[in-house]
Amino acid sequence: MPKNQKNQTVISVENISKVYQVGEVETVALDTVSFTIAKGEFVAIMGPSGSGKSTLMHILGALDTPTSGTYTLDGELVSSLSDDELADIRNRKIGFIFQAFNLLPRTTALHNVMLPMAYAGIPVAEREERAADALTKVGLANRIHHYSNQLSGGQQQRVAIARGIVMDPAILLADEPTGNIASNQADEVMEIFHTIHRQGHTIVMITHEPDIAAHAERILHIKDGKLVNDERNTQKTQRVRKPEDRKTG
Amino acid sequence: MDIREQVVESFRTLTVNKLRTGLAILGIVIGIGSVIALISLGQGSQQMVQNQIQSLGANLLTVQPGFSQSGSVRGAAGGGTTLTLDDALALSTDPTITTVKNVSPEVSSRQQVTAGRNNANEQVYGVYPAYADIHKITLSSGSFVTTSDLAAQRKVAVIGPQVVTDLFATDANPVGQKIRVKGQEYTVIGVTASKGGTGFQNQDAIIYIPLSTAQKSITGSSSINSISVEAASQDVMTTAEDQVGYALLKRHKIADPTQADFSIFSQQDILNTASSVTGTFTSLLSGIAAISLLVGGIGIMNIMLVTVTERTREIGLRKALGAKRATIIRQFLIESIILTILGGCIGMAFGATVSFILSKVLSIPFTITMSSVLLSIGVSGGIGIIFGWYPARTAAKLQPIEALRYE
């Protein structure tokens, strides 16, 4: 993905709302949120807990559907798709990086990275090759046959990143990617985000930590279900800071 | 993913999670094994009890001549001379008689018997070789009356253990020795095993000689005292009784059954006991099968529910990575089928082994019927597959994010 295609819109969210109904009580998690994200951007979505940022991430990740509004991802109107069509969108267009890694336990790094390609019906030989490539990109070339439970938290998250990029998705969605990782390993993970961003991947990262959000080019602030601020990050973190500078969350 | 790849993937998942797979298989093994073992033991016991009842003579019919008639005076039943050896032979060859296994004509007479200086009054039976089969006579030494003894009218005798005590020294082997019956010399060719003094007749105090010899040398008559008829099984007793009765009526040219010159007895009370015991066993077996199927089924259901529920997060992850609902359900279905087949085979071997060992320990016959195997595999296998599939279907229906959050 060349960098000069940056102006092309990949995510378009228009007036999205999400209302949860528990008994008689209606909770508005998202209230008419609109924004667009261009191809190749590195965006952080920030907000305190309960702000609705997780709900937004689930909708962006096609894991959940909005109550109203439209969501277009890479030219496809996601908000109107069926369950199986959503599965297909997630498979081809979205790479997930979860706070809890969510790797298959007692399974090798290679096999974990191969999993999304299995659901895409890619031939086994090609799967192995592409998975090994992706693991090399995140610096785990020498760990491909390790079991997920033999890896450190940082290494597991790097396997998850490899799994996220292996399908070459339209966006990479990271939900608190450093939340479960020791602070010194968190920097390695953020460094990999920068690397894959430079390679042209679009990254959307949800976090409540300002210094993690500071890695992004653009920060969307969510509060009480509304988009309150959309800022360019002028002091974008270009270097990996020493662990003692960072406040751990 | 195509089916073949999913089967490979299922095997991989199952081998990766050895403890979980082992527990699930164990659950199925115990479920299926216990059903097979319990039903097999039940059937073994049933067979043993039925064999014991059979040996009491539940499938025996006794044909005796009618009343002896001298002028207008009626003698005792069985005292007549209307039954002949030909009647007995006809019964064993008559094509209309389909439910009879063995026919044994018998004559009997009390005689003074001597051996050396000892003498005793003993019951002497003239018999066919089939007698031993029908009346479950086993020999402790020597052999029973044979067809050639019969044909040659040999003067040979098989004696009961009581007769041995009466006529010989305690530790002597009577086989080959001579005894005298009604003034004639017989060679002892066998000694029967002790049956104990059951019933009216002490079974151990009998001397068996060939029927032809008895007719010629002892009774001097062509008539016989009774015919023992062994039915194929106790279920066909009534049919056998009818067939024998009508065949004899026809031979004796009697049209009206009330005028019959013979009577047929069966051990009705034993027969009644036998059928009520069989009935009790049938309900006992159904009960055992139902309870063990229930217990086994619940065990299998639990382990499948637990293992699948435990994997709800994995299902959420797989959905997030692009697995369609059908793909996930198919994967769990394939896994359940693999587990059930594996567990079923091991369970069958396990159940058969347990019931084999127990049947040896409890000394009952070892029986495994196809129906019990099919029943246990069918029910337990069905439960295993349904409860592997059902929770997977529920989990696959969840929004992936709910499944991922599942604790």
Side-chain angles (χ1 to χ4, degrees):
Chain A
M1 253 183 280
K3 247 188 161 181
N4 55 18
Q5 283 184 353
K6 241 187 171 180
N7 50 357
Q8 204 181 326
T9 301
V10 66
I11 287 179
S12 169
V13 170
E14 274 178 72
N15 296 321
I16 272 190
S17 295
K18 181 73 184 180
V19 180
Y20 291 108
Q21 185 136 18
V22 182
E24 295 287 294
V25 188
E26 281 193 347
T27 313
V28 179
L30 279 181
D31 189 2
T32 56
V33 174
S34 301
F35 60 86
T36 59
I37 294 174
K39 196 166 230 171
E41 273 194 290
F42 184 177
V43 181
I45 296 177
M46 269 202 80
S49 68
S51 60
K53 63 180 191 304
S54 287
T55 307
L56 179 59
M57 186 239 163
H58 298 152
I59 291 173
L60 291 180
L63 293 168
D64 204 351
T65 48
T67 315
S68 64
T70 58
Y71 166 36
T72 313
L73 171 65
D74 202 26
E76 300 212 41
L77 191 61
V78 174
S79 45
S80 67
L81 295 180
S82 72
D83 203 55
D84 279 354
E85 288 167 327
L86 286 176
D88 198 43
I89 289 286
R90 289 193 295 268
N91 185 233
R92 288 186 295 113
K93 296 195 185 290
I94 303 168
F96 287 97
I97 293 149
F98 299 99
Q99 179 173 358
F101 325 136
N102 285 330
L103 300 179
L104 290 182
R106 295 177 289 274
T107 303
T108 60
L110 187 72
H111 202 97
N112 265 292
V113 178
M114 282 164 65
L115 193 58
M117 292 186 284
Y119 292 125
I122 292 168
V124 179
E126 187 186 338
R127 268 184 236 169
E128 285 186 13
E129 195 181 315
R130 279 169 66 173
D133 279 355
L135 282 164
T136 310
K137 278 186 191 165
V138 297
L140 289 177
N142 55 346
R143 294 275 192 280
I144 59 174
H145 293 299
H146 281 56
Y147 288 94
S148 49
N149 40 315
Q150 296 170 331
L151 299 171
S152 71
Q155 288 169 331
Q156 289 191 47
Q157 195 61 301
R158 279 147 71 188
V159 174
I161 294 172
R163 184 180 64 190
I165 61 174
V166 78
M167 287 292 290
D168 198 9
I171 57 166
L172 204 56
L173 264 184
D175 183 11
E176 304 277 8
T178 57
N180 281 18
I181 302 176
S183 55
N184 55 340
Q185 294 179 344
D187 292 325
E188 288 173 26
V189 169
M190 291 319 296
E191 196 45 49
I192 288 165
F193 274 105
H194 285 297
T195 311
I196 60 178
H197 175 225
R198 278 196 295 274
Q199 287 163 353
H201 285 283
T202 312
I203 302 171
V204 178
M205 179 173 73
I206 316 292
T207 184
H208 67 279
E209 294 179 69
D211 48 352
I212 292 293
H215 285 271
E217 305 171 307
R218 178 184 167 197
I219 304 174
L220 302 176
H221 291 269
I222 303 278
K223 200 182 173 192
D224 298 332
K226 287 181 191 297
L227 182 63
V228 290
N229 195 5
D230 183 351
E231 59 166 354
R232 288 276 142 202
N233 183 9
T234 47
Q235 56 207 34
K236 183 182 161 197
T237 311
Q238 294 297 352
R239 61 179 185 94
V240 175
R241 296 160 310 158
K242 292 191 194 85
E244 55 268 30
D245 298 343
R246 266 182 69 240
K247 189 179 71 186
T248 50
Chain B
M1 281 203 206
D2 60 21
I3 287 281
R4 207 190 52 204
E5 202 190 331
Q6 277 204 306
V7 172
V8 174
E9 171 75 15
S10 296
F11 268 110
R12 199 194 63 82
T13 314
L14 290 174
T15 45
V16 156
N17 299 285
K18 288 191 181 67
L19 180 65
R20 190 172 69 201
T21 307
L23 284 175
I25 289 182
L26 184 68
I28 297 171
V29 165
I30 300 283
I32 291 181
S34 62
V35 173
I36 289 180
L38 282 173
I39 293 182
S40 158
L41 284 179
Q43 284 172 333
S45 314
Q46 180 178 30
Q47 205 179 328
M48 183 179 70
V49 170
Q50 278 177 340
N51 288 349
Q52 285 170 341
I53 289 173
Q54 296 287 352
S55 75
L56 291 176
N59 55 350
L60 268 196
L61 292 171
T62 310
V63 186
Q64 291 194 335
F67 308 101
S68 60
Q69 199 99 21
S70 43
S72 59
V73 181
R74 265 190 154 190
T81 54
T82 50
L83 277 186
T84 63
L85 184 57
D86 287 344
D87 286 333
L89 297 179
L91 287 183
S92 54
T93 53
D94 192 323
T96 64
I97 298 177
T98 52
T99 49
V100 167
K101 207 160 81 182
N102 259 325
V103 177
S104 156
E106 295 150 27
V107 298
S108 69
S109 154
R110 268 205 105 73
Q111 296 295 335
Q112 204 64 28
V113 183
T114 58
R117 305 175 73 83
N118 301 320
N119 91 65
N121 190 270
E122 307 284 4
Q123 193 75 27
V124 178
Y125 277 27
V127 297
Y128 262 49
Y131 186 95
D133 263 354
I134 291 186
H135 296 275
K136 319 278 184 231
I137 305 279
T138 50
L139 294 181
S140 61
S141 65
S143 58
F144 200 72
V145 173
T146 64
T147 329
S148 73
D149 294 336
L150 205 61
Q153 301 184 351
R154 280 190 198 119
K155 293 203 168 52
V156 290
V158 175
I159 60 179
Q162 183 62 48
V163 181
V164 178
T165 339
D166 289 348
L167 296 178
F168 297 101
T170 1
D171 50 356
N173 180 10
V175 176
Q177 311 237 36
K178 309 282 187 197
I179 57 173
R180 294 185 77 84
V181 181
K182 218 177 175 182
Q184 304 200 12
E185 201 172 59
Y186 288 76
T187 309
V188 177
I189 55 165
V191 177
T192 63
S194 176
K195 281 191 109 178
T198 49
F200 308 105
Q201 174 80 51
N202 184 351
Q203 305 266 333
D204 294 346
I206 296 176
I207 297 173
Y208 304 98
I209 61 174
L211 183 93
S212 50
T213 318
Q215 283 183 325
K216 184 172 169 244
S217 311
I218 294 177
T219 65
S221 147
S222 68
S223 70
I224 56 176
N225 295 98
S226 68
I227 305 171
S228 290
V229 177
E230 186 184 16
S233 78
Q234 66 188 57
D235 305 327
V236 296
M237 284 293 280
T238 333
T239 325
E241 193 171 339
D242 287 349
Q243 290 180 342
V244 168
Y246 283 113
L248 284 178
L249 284 175
K250 211 173 148 202
R251 268 187 67 78
H252 294 183
K253 301 194 170 58
I254 299 168
D256 181 2
T258 57
Q259 298 297 312
D261 57 359
F262 59 90
S263 23
I264 302 176
F265 303 95
S266 61
Q267 308 229 30
Q268 197 56 48
D269 50 345
I270 294 181
L271 210 63
N272 289 346
T273 313
S275 62
S276 88
V277 166
T278 308
T280 311
F281 257 103
T282 308
S283 16
L284 175 72
L285 270 181
S286 321
I288 288 177
I291 291 172
S292 53
L293 279 174
L294 186 75
V295 172
I298 288 176
I300 293 171
M301 184 182 84
N302 277 350
I303 193 78
M304 294 309 285
L305 277 176
V306 167
T307 51
V308 177
T309 309
E310 186 202 84
R311 294 171 68 187
T312 304
R313 278 170 68 91
E314 180 193 325
I315 292 174
L317 171 73
R318 287 177 183 273
K319 282 199 85 176
L321 295 183
K324 295 189 171 63
R325 193 185 290 179
T327 314
I328 291 197
I329 294 173
R330 204 160 57 220
Q331 183 194 331
F332 277 80
L333 203 54
I334 292 171
E335 285 184 24
S336 308
I337 291 171
I338 294 173
L339 284 178
T340 310
I341 290 175
L342 266 177
C345 292
I346 302 174
M348 254 193 305
F350 171 73
T353 313
V354 165
S355 74
F356 181 77
I357 293 171
L358 281 179
S359 67
K360 288 289 161 248
V361 172
L362 305 172
S363 56
I364 56 174
F366 171 67
T367 35
I368 282 198
T369 56
M370 204 58 203
S371 61
S372 70
V373 171
L374 289 181
L375 183 73
S376 63
I377 297 279
V379 173
S380 311
I383 290 173
I385 290 170
I386 287 169
F387 286 96
W389 163 79
Y390 177 74
R393 175 174 161 276
T394 314
K397 265 187 178 173
L398 284 177
Q399 293 279 13
I401 198 65
E402 287 172 56
L404 271 173
R405 279 203 204 112
Y406 190 89
E407 295 298 336

